[in-house]
Amino acid sequence: MTALWLDADPTHLRARGSLKWTATPASVAAWVAESDLGTAPAVSEALHGAIDRGLTGYLPRDLAAETREACAAWQRERYGWDVPVSRVHLVPDVIEAFRIAVHHHTRAGGAVVLPTPAYMPFVTLPEQWDRSVVRVPMVGDADGQATFDLVGIEEALSAHPGSLLALVNPHNPTGRVHERAELIALAEVVQRTGAWVFADEIHAPLVGRGRTHVPYASLSPATAAHTTTATAASKGWNIPGLKCAQVIVTDEDDAAWWEANGEQNGHGVSTLGAVATTAAYRHGGPWLEGLLDYVAENSTALREALGPQIPFADPEGTYLVWLDLRGPLAALPSPPPPGEVARWLLETAGVAVVDGMANGGHHGFVRFNLATPRPLVVEAGRRLRSALGC
Ligand SMILES: Cc1ncc(COP(=O)(O)O)c(C=O)c1O
């Protein structure tokens, strides 16, 4: 297996031109969910081949069909979920899938119920689409891991009939992979309240190392009938700029609507994105194992560098971790106010992270991206620790 890209020189990383490294002057860029660790050789070979063949026009139908098949095969082989190819549709990205689901399954003035902390655009976008966002903070389970507040979710869904629950699993930003039992309990709440679920499973390929991803819609006929699922190869193989995500529809009415509107919904899908996605799902699995091992070791290295006063849970899926800075922040003589923690860390420590306030109002937490060469993870950990005086 070809090695990951492990060049830890920030000048070189910036020269590669990624958003992550070019948008901030940070010494260590650990904010947006992009990976510095490259992509699978099978993906880059497929892309080079497509360019060499001049495959840069509109998405050919036979290629779209191959991509849909590759996604269905990945779901079947990896998660044991048998979805017919006809139920897999291509869209440019998961945000677009979310936009379509919100518009199709809620009315203007309706609500999106969102467990928080959450992926940042889910906090802000529904309001731009004339839907309110009802935040329900997650709670700690017996092991202190973030899980659903089922009572809070049921109250929110009951108070807003016809709302949509945004379920992100594996979870951004905590890195949790929800267990089957948690999802079944959530499904009972959804079923009682008659809500619709948008299941964002974009990080599912990043589940490995003995953990299992359970697609929410695969749980039962009931979840299949109240869910739109979105996924992509874009996080696992670092191809989000290539614009090819997949929607999996499992409700009969939803399937009929997508059958009629799928081509229009997929207009922005890129041809190179379909090439890369097909190669990733068909041939990129083994490469991911190396990536996941490396990310797990980065998590250990970060823990050592941060020391015991900045706790976080190892990611179970995703390469994101949710750092709890509340203790050290409270001990500072003049701590940054809510919403200013990430900016303060950028200025004081030279580390770019996502401020927990952007994840739905979680002051004192920051999201940190582990998909970077280890020396930089360690450097970031030391810098954060020193800035926070712990
Ligand atoms: C949970 C989650 N959903 C959606 C997205 C955005 O995906 P896309 O680029 O396909 O819109 C991200 C990107 O980080 C994400 O983490």
Side-chain angles (χ1 to χ4, degrees), residues 48 56 58 69 79 82 85 93 97 99 108 132 139 183 223 293 298 308 325 342 355 357 363 368 383:
H48 282 289
T56 53
Y58 287 118
E69 270 162 33
Y79 319 130
D82 211 351
V85 177
D93 51 43
R99 188 193 67 75
S132 60
V139 291
L183 295 172
T223 60
D293 286 345
N298 274 1
L325 311 182
D355 196 306
M357 289 302 283
H363 175 52
F368 184 99
R383 283 167 170 264

Side-chain angles (χ1 to χ4, degrees), residues 32-34 91-97 118-122 168-173 198 200-203 231-232 234-235 240-241 243-245 318-320 367:
V32 68
E34 282 182 335
V91 288
D93 51 43
V94 168
I95 287 290
E96 175 62 1
Y119 172 55
M120 301 76 79
F122 289 178
V168 177
N169 182 42
H171 188 242
N172 171 358
F198 177 75
D200 174 342
E201 302 185 356
I202 193 172
H203 291 278
T231 190
S234 57
K235 296 294 147 186
K243 297 290 159 196
C244 178
T318 84
Y319 44 66
L320 304 169
R367 190 188 81 173

Side-chain angles (χ1 to χ4, degrees), residues 18-384:
S18 67
L19 172 67
K20 183 164 171 273
W21 281 93
T22 56
T24 85
S27 306
V28 183
W31 61 291
V32 68
E34 282 182 335
S35 166
D36 300 325
L37 305 174
T39 193
V43 172
S44 36
E45 280 158 26
L47 286 168
H48 282 289
I51 296 283
D52 292 346
R53 295 202 302 283
L55 190 58
T56 53
Y58 287 118
L59 178 63
R61 293 212 171 108
D62 59 347
L63 174 57
E66 280 185 41
T67 310
R68 296 166 76 186
E69 270 162 33
C71 174
W74 177 268
Q75 296 290 329
R76 192 170 53 246
E77 285 154 23
R78 287 280 159 151
Y79 319 130
W81 188 26
D82 211 351
V83 278
V85 177
S86 60
R87 296 295 180 89
V88 180
H89 294 274
L90 305 184
V91 288
D93 51 43
V94 168
I95 287 290
E96 175 62 1
F98 181 55
R99 188 193 67 75
I100 293 169
V102 167
H103 283 84
H104 190 53
H105 292 290
T106 66
R107 56 185 161 64
V112 170
V113 172
L114 183 65
T116 68
Y119 172 55
M120 301 76 79
F122 289 178
V123 179
T124 52
L125 284 176
E127 285 174 359
Q128 294 179 21
W129 302 331
D130 197 17
R131 271 76 175 169
S132 60
V133 176
V134 184
R135 301 177 193 175
V136 183
M138 296 174 92
V139 291
D141 68 8
D143 301 323
Q145 294 272 53
T147 190
F148 309 114
D149 173 1
L150 294 174
V151 173
I153 291 174
E154 184 150 8
E155 277 172 13
L157 294 176
S158 307
H160 299 86
S163 55
L164 175 146
L165 175 73
L167 167 66
V168 177
N169 182 42
H171 188 242
N172 171 358
T174 65
R176 278 268 5 244
V177 174
H178 294 293
E179 308 270 351
R180 183 177 289 273
E182 288 174 277
L183 295 172
I184 289 175
L186 180 69
E188 285 166 7
V189 168
V190 173
Q191 200 56 19
R192 275 200 294 277
T193 54
W196 192 264
V197 172
F198 177 75
D200 174 342
E201 302 185 356
I202 193 172
H203 291 278
L206 292 166
V207 178
R209 301 173 51 84
R211 301 232 158 231
T212 311
H213 168 67
V214 180
Y216 177 80
S218 75
L219 284 175
S220 68
T223 60
H226 67 217
T227 305
T228 307
T229 303
T231 190
S234 57
K235 296 294 147 186
W237 292 272
N238 197 42
I239 49 173
L242 295 183
K243 297 290 159 196
C244 178
Q246 304 87 53
V247 168
I248 302 173
V249 285
T250 40
D251 166 65
E252 295 302 324
D253 290 343
D254 208 29
W257 184 84
W258 273 89
E259 196 56 45
N261 295 282
E263 196 148 325
Q264 182 189 324
N265 291 342
H267 178 72
V269 173
S270 100
T271 302
L272 292 179
V275 167
T277 299
T278 307
Y281 284 144
R282 283 192 181 157
H283 309 296
W287 177 86
L288 272 186
E289 305 303 322
L291 178 83
L292 292 174
D293 286 345
Y294 191 79
V295 167
E297 286 158 25
N298 274 1
S299 190
T300 305
L302 181 66
R303 192 178 303 289
E304 276 166 24
L306 287 172
Q309 293 188 51
I310 305 181
F312 68 93
D314 286 323
E316 298 173 337
T318 84
Y319 44 66
L320 304 169
V321 282
W322 185 235
L323 308 183
D324 182 354
L325 311 182
R326 288 173 300 175
L329 281 172
L332 288 177
S334 57
E340 293 295 325
V341 172
R343 189 208 303 259
W344 179 81
L345 288 171
L346 182 61
E347 284 164 7
T348 319
V351 178
V353 289
V354 174
D355 196 306
M357 289 302 283
N359 298 99
H362 292 263
H363 175 52
F365 289 84
V366 296
R367 190 188 81 173
F368 184 99
N369 178 344
L370 289 169
T372 202
R374 190 156 314 138
L376 292 173
V377 170
V378 172
E379 176 67 17
R382 288 191 186 133
R383 283 167 170 264
L384 293 174

